[in-house]
Amino acid sequence: MTPIRLHNTKTRRKELFTPLNADNVRVYVCGPTVYDRAHLGNARPVIVFDMLFRMLRHVYGATHVTYARNLTDVDDKINARAAETGRDIRAITDETIAWYHADMAALGNLKPTHEPRATDWIGAMKDMIARLIASGHAYAAEGHVLFSVASYAEYGALSGRSVEDMLAGARVEVAPYKRDPMDFVLWKPSSGNEPGWDSDWGFGRPGWHIECSAMSYELLTESFDIHGGGIDLQFPHHENEIAQSACAHPHGKFAQVWMHNEMLQVEGRKMSKSLGNFFTVRDLLDQGVPGEVIRFVMLSTHYSKPMDWTERKRAEAEATLRKWRGLIAGADVSEDVSEDVVAALADDLNTPLAITRLHAMATQLAASGGKNCHFEARVFLASARMMGLLTDELGDWMSKQDDAVSAEVSARIDALIAARRAARADKDFAEADRLRAILDGAGVVVIDRPDETSWSAGPGFDAGKLEP
Ligand code: AMP
Ligand code: ZN
């Protein structure tokens, strides 16, 4: 069996992964709060942990991996959206969940085994809160139930920070009903128009953190293998999940391995509405950026590094996928996946290395000019598909684009690129630059690599500007 190594945030080391039960490897990932379209950053953990799911399925067998990712459908941001729009909460969350499913499928992600909705598991949350009160880890006060952070000595172990440091860095709410400012809410009262449920502590609703502890317990038991999420969730959300679960089920281990993805930026800057560089996955898809291209760009950066979304990366990914899809046209898929690709993925999800290895296979395939390469094409295809690339479902973008860029226009672009290459070979750099400016002006994205030049039609492409 392929050895798997994963960087564990909790121990701050890369460790050999040994599942608690190889017949049922269990993964929990924090999912979205459903009140609006997923932005491009929200797609990153989905793609990262989809890749983990796929790799584990490959190694342990597809039926031996259980992946749970929750849907937070009770939250103050949702209540605020309902108040703003005058719409029903359930209408908002149902609509947002349907969008989320469509958008994540368009990026080639598999459906998790379980997608628990928080509002379906209120009973399990109340049970866990009752256990925490009974064991002295939580207390009720003024319609609230609070977790007593001082009752759990290991609080902060995941982020490796002291309670004092965390307190200094966080916006903890000081409230009269808290014994200690660090204490966090397990249950809070709801007023008339807020969603709520009856409980021993009055009519109210759960705090945010308890849902992940309760639902992972119900679906994966008190000890499971991997817990994932964005690095922004490490504190307080994940520290609080650990505290709740460890205290409610002291004999359990909760999650053995913690994995955190870094954040996504756009052209080197934080994505934010005020900087005007904020966009949703749907915005990109509607602009004609194929889901497969978005996935490829995301996988090109290791999950532990900040990922920068750039127009150049988009264009390069599109050109690469166009070439790869050309290479596998007509090939059927083999059972065998390249061991080199699997080994890269098993090494802490090294997706950039896996892509480099796919590039090497593609180069070899192209060099053999289609001769005697039937086997290689099949293995190449199987390996790419293991990463959720070159699948049939994600493949219709090329024909759509080909319809937009006619064969005649495409030939004109090829001719301009060939002329530019000839000019460079003759050291006529003025002419090469002039031809390049024509291509740029028409919105053709030219990608120069040492061995070849490729292109894609960028946003605002205008064939009318292609005259030499
Ligand atoms: P939320 O719906 O705000 O709870 O976020 C859902 C997920 O998106 C969480 O796992 C976050 O870590 C993740 N996330 C939010 N913004 C970004 C970003 N800019 N880059 C990567 N992940 C993000
Ligand atoms: Zn969570």
Side-chain angles (χ1 to χ4, degrees):
M1 195 171 281
T2 316
I4 298 173
R5 287 190 174 72
L6 299 173
H7 184 270
N8 187 350
T9 315
K10 195 161 188 167
T11 58
R12 283 162 269 281
R13 276 184 299 140
K14 209 198 267 189
E15 296 167 349
L16 185 66
F17 174 67
T18 320
L20 297 167
N21 173 4
D23 285 333
N24 185 16
V25 181
R26 285 157 293 159
V27 181
Y28 186 93
V29 173
C30 297
T33 305
V34 286
Y35 63 100
D36 210 346
R37 284 270 184 198
H39 63 63
L40 191 63
N42 298 140
R44 190 173 192 203
V46 180
I47 294 173
V48 164
F49 293 106
D50 178 70
M51 201 55 253
L52 176 72
F53 184 37
R54 287 170 182 273
M55 186 271 289
L56 294 172
R57 283 160 59 99
H58 177 79
V59 173
Y60 295 98
T63 57
H64 298 293
V65 185
T66 303
Y67 173 22
R69 186 184 65 211
N70 66 306
L71 294 162
T72 301
D73 64 347
V74 49
D75 184 273
D76 289 346
K77 288 193 280 270
I78 304 173
N79 303 344
R81 184 56 55 96
E84 258 160 59
T85 58
R87 293 180 69 199
D88 186 52
I89 287 184
R90 188 76 188 192
I92 294 173
T93 58
D94 282 352
E95 175 182 66
T96 311
I97 289 170
W99 286 340
Y100 189 75
H101 284 155
D103 295 349
M104 295 310 127
L107 303 182
N109 296 300
L110 300 175
K111 271 184 146 330
T113 324
H114 302 288
E115 274 191 292
R117 273 180 90 141
T119 51
D120 290 335
W121 296 87
I122 301 292
M125 296 181 218
K126 289 198 286 192
D127 288 349
M128 192 173 254
I129 294 170
R131 286 178 79 95
L132 290 169
I133 295 175
S135 55
H137 291 290
Y139 55 93
E142 296 177 34
H144 291 73
V145 181
L146 292 132
F147 184 91
S148 166
V149 168
S151 78
Y152 179 57
E154 285 164 67
Y155 191 82
L158 178 66
S159 19
R161 288 185 290 179
S162 68
V163 171
E164 292 69 38
D165 283 356
M166 286 184 281
L167 192 55
R171 283 171 294 170
V172 282
E173 203 191 339
V174 183
Y177 48 81
K178 284 189 181 182
R179 287 185 194 156
D180 185 308
M182 277 304 274
D183 293 352
F184 58 88
V185 169
L186 300 175
W187 189 263
K188 59 185 168 187
S190 291
S191 61
N193 55 350
E194 287 169 334
W197 292 262
D198 287 322
S199 80
D200 294 348
W201 321 290
F203 182 74
R205 60 191 189 280
W208 169 35
H209 317 293
I210 193 72
E211 71 180 78
C212 291
S213 286
M215 298 189 298
S216 65
Y217 173 70
E218 298 293 333
L219 295 167
L220 308 178
T221 82
E222 72 275 16
S223 305
F224 58 93
D225 296 295
I226 302 172
H227 192 313
I231 189 73
D232 57 325
L233 301 181
Q234 189 182 24
F235 174 79
H237 183 55
H238 291 160
E239 294 286 6
N240 294 357
E241 281 188 35
I242 293 173
Q244 295 162 160
S245 294
C247 294
H249 299 286
H251 300 296
K253 295 196 185 85
F254 196 42
Q256 298 216 91
V257 179
W258 282 83
M259 291 176 72
H260 289 99
N261 64 275
E262 257 293 347
M263 296 289 103
L264 175 129
Q265 307 179 323
V266 175
E267 306 284 352
R269 306 172 80 186
K270 183 177 157 78
M271 178 161 82
S272 83
K273 289 198 170 129
S274 58
L275 289 173
N277 63 358
F278 178 94
F279 46 87
T280 66
V281 171
R282 184 51 50 182
D283 291 336
L284 277 185
L285 294 170
D286 286 349
Q287 283 161 26
V289 180
E292 185 173 40
V293 168
I294 300 173
R295 183 177 184 87
F296 187 100
V297 172
M298 292 269 190
L299 293 174
S300 304
T301 299
H302 191 255
Y303 76 88
S304 66
K305 302 244 158 54
M307 133 113 231
D308 196 19
W309 173 269
T310 65
E311 168 52 26
R312 183 179 167 89
K313 284 185 188 170
R314 184 210 57 78
E316 286 186 357
E318 189 171 312
T320 299
L321 287 165
R322 177 172 285 280
K323 190 176 69 184
W324 286 5
R325 283 197 174 269
L327 284 173
I328 51 115
D332 44 27
V333 62
S334 75
E335 299 269 296
D336 300 312
V337 172
S338 151
E339 279 312 312
D340 287 347
V341 171
V342 176
L345 297 173
D347 183 16
D348 196 29
L349 287 187
N350 195 338
T351 52
L353 181 61
I355 287 178
T356 302
R357 290 179 172 170
L358 287 176
H359 269 299
M361 291 169 84
T363 305
Q364 254 182 1
L365 263 180
S368 66
K371 282 185 234 87
N372 300 326
C373 67
H374 189 56
F375 173 73
E376 286 85 349
R378 288 171 44 181
V379 175
F380 172 69
L381 180 55
S383 310
R385 286 204 175 159
M386 194 202 156
M387 299 182 71
L389 298 167
L390 306 187
T391 60
D392 288 338
E393 300 80 58
L394 295 188
D396 60 349
W397 62 273
M398 269 184 55
S399 53
K400 274 199 212 139
Q401 280 196 357
D402 289 345
D403 292 346
V405 182
S406 68
E408 183 260 332
V409 166
S410 171
R412 254 158 55 202
I413 296 171
D414 287 340
L416 281 165
I417 286 180
R420 172 170 161 262
R421 196 180 313 122
R424 280 176 155 194
D426 291 348
K427 305 224 178 317
D428 185 352
F429 296 113
E431 175 65 358
D433 288 347
R434 190 185 70 82
L435 292 165
R436 171 73 196 241
I438 293 171
L439 290 159
D440 287 347
V444 178
V445 183
V446 178
I447 300 135
D448 286 314
R449 289 216 182 77
D451 48 339
E452 63 176 351
T453 299
S454 51
W455 61 270
S456 76
F461 171 72
D462 180 357
K465 294 188 179 159
L466 278 172
E467 295 314 315

